[in-house]
Amino acid sequence: MDNVPDPIIQQPTDAIVRITSTAICGSDLHLYKVLSPLMRAGDIIGHEPMGVVEEVGRDVEHIKPGDRVVVPFNISCGHCYFCDQDLYYQCETTRDTGKLAEASSLLGRGKGASLFGYTHVYGAVPGGQAEYLRVPQAHFGPIKVPEGPPDERFLYLSDVLPTAWQAVAYADTPQGGTLGVWGLGPIGQMCARIAMQQGVGRVIGVDTVPERLSLAARYGVETLDFNAVDRVGDVVLEMTGGRGVDAGIDAVGMEASGSAVASILQATKLQLDRATALRECMASIRRGGTLSISGVYAGPIQAFQLGDLFDMQIQVRMGQANVRRWVDDILPLLTDEDPLGVEDLKTHEMTLDDAPHAYEIFQKKQDGAIKCVLKP
Ligand SMILES: NC(=O)c1ccc[n+]([C@@H]2O[C@H](COP(=O)([O-])OP(=O)(O)OC[C@H]3O[C@@H](n4cnc5c(N)ncnc54)[C@H](O)[C@@H]3O)[C@@H](O)[C@H]2O)c1
Ligand SMILES: [Zn+2]
Ligand SMILES: [Zn+2]
């Protein structure tokens, strides 16, 4: 934690938001560990903020000082080639075209849109785990939300809810069919709830953290502890008549646990990503099914079973969430009835000064931490 100058308006499309709540994401944990070489001293982290508009630039019309807003984690202009196709994470106006961003794409294609608080390959934009945030492209990004319910009702519109919504949409499980969800962190929990809300028949959820398994079970998920079985795929096949789940969501990403070999490859930098959960997910999907990846991956994966995916005719869809694409679908559910139960995700509320402790318990899955919300 450090003190920095308050941000000021730099462009006519900027806004300044006074942050009232700001959450820590599984994606921040990647920066905290495996992606930390991409960080520089003085970088401000955080991409799940909400608060009150303090000031707007002259081109910002849909929000005004005093409005209560949630800020999407990706920064999109709303009117470029990709934004016009609802691919807000691919925004051409904000994508980082710097040398580092270009070099970090092995295909030589650069990176997607700038992200708040996400290093020097995603625009080096100061993030939202702070008292004040400068919001670029504020003529489009910030989502105005109603007064009344607590912040925790709307906060997850910044990331968790649209990410989970997109993962479920991409999974495209048939009505009454079976969805497998790997990882029962905030993203996986919400994937399960959204899928059931939309008429999926069964959700099988895989994790090992007791509090996360039991929270999912409370919502009707059939849970599986990956440390309690030999091969997750075998158990999932047993549970699904020998065929596998219709669709699988990987909500774990590059820091999956459960394989010593993968950990050594990552520690020795032979492989950036630990793909244990992804492989188990792939081994559990039925032929002709769908693999939806929302867990973040950053590099090549060795001995990747592409041929098996091909033979099994598995469709793969993935990527960062195009946040604004899903907001109009989600907002009507954040009503008094709170059908998704979003408010129970938060296990810890702390001040900004407690952020180092929050990171530690969230990373180590201690003290029942599922979602830590900081209150500046
Ligand atoms: N696509 C997007 O736009 C987007 C947005 C937000 C987060 N994410 C990514 O989604 C992932 C999950 O985020 P989160 O906030 O829920 O994080 P989290 O760290 O709280 O959750 C990850 C969960 O995966 C579990 N896990 C670890 N290894 C596993 C394995 N082998 N099998 C099954 N489960 C395993 C962990 O116990 C943990 O509960 C992260 O990779 C994050 O970067 C992506
Ligand atoms: Zn996030
Ligand atoms: Zn754009």
Side-chain angles (χ1 to χ4, degrees), residues 26-27 30 159 163 185-187 207 212 226 251-252 257 294 296 319-321:
S27 300
H30 306 323
D159 181 339
T163 296
I187 304 294
D207 205 301
R212 295 174 181 221
F226 65 81
V252 180
S257 50
S294 61
V296 171
Q320 299 274 15

Side-chain angles (χ1 to χ4, degrees), residues 152-170:
E152 286 70 15
R153 183 74 59 82
F154 301 113
L155 179 62
Y156 309 119
L157 272 175
S158 57
D159 181 339
V160 176
L161 287 170
T163 296
W165 198 277
Q166 178 169 303
V168 170
Y170 283 5

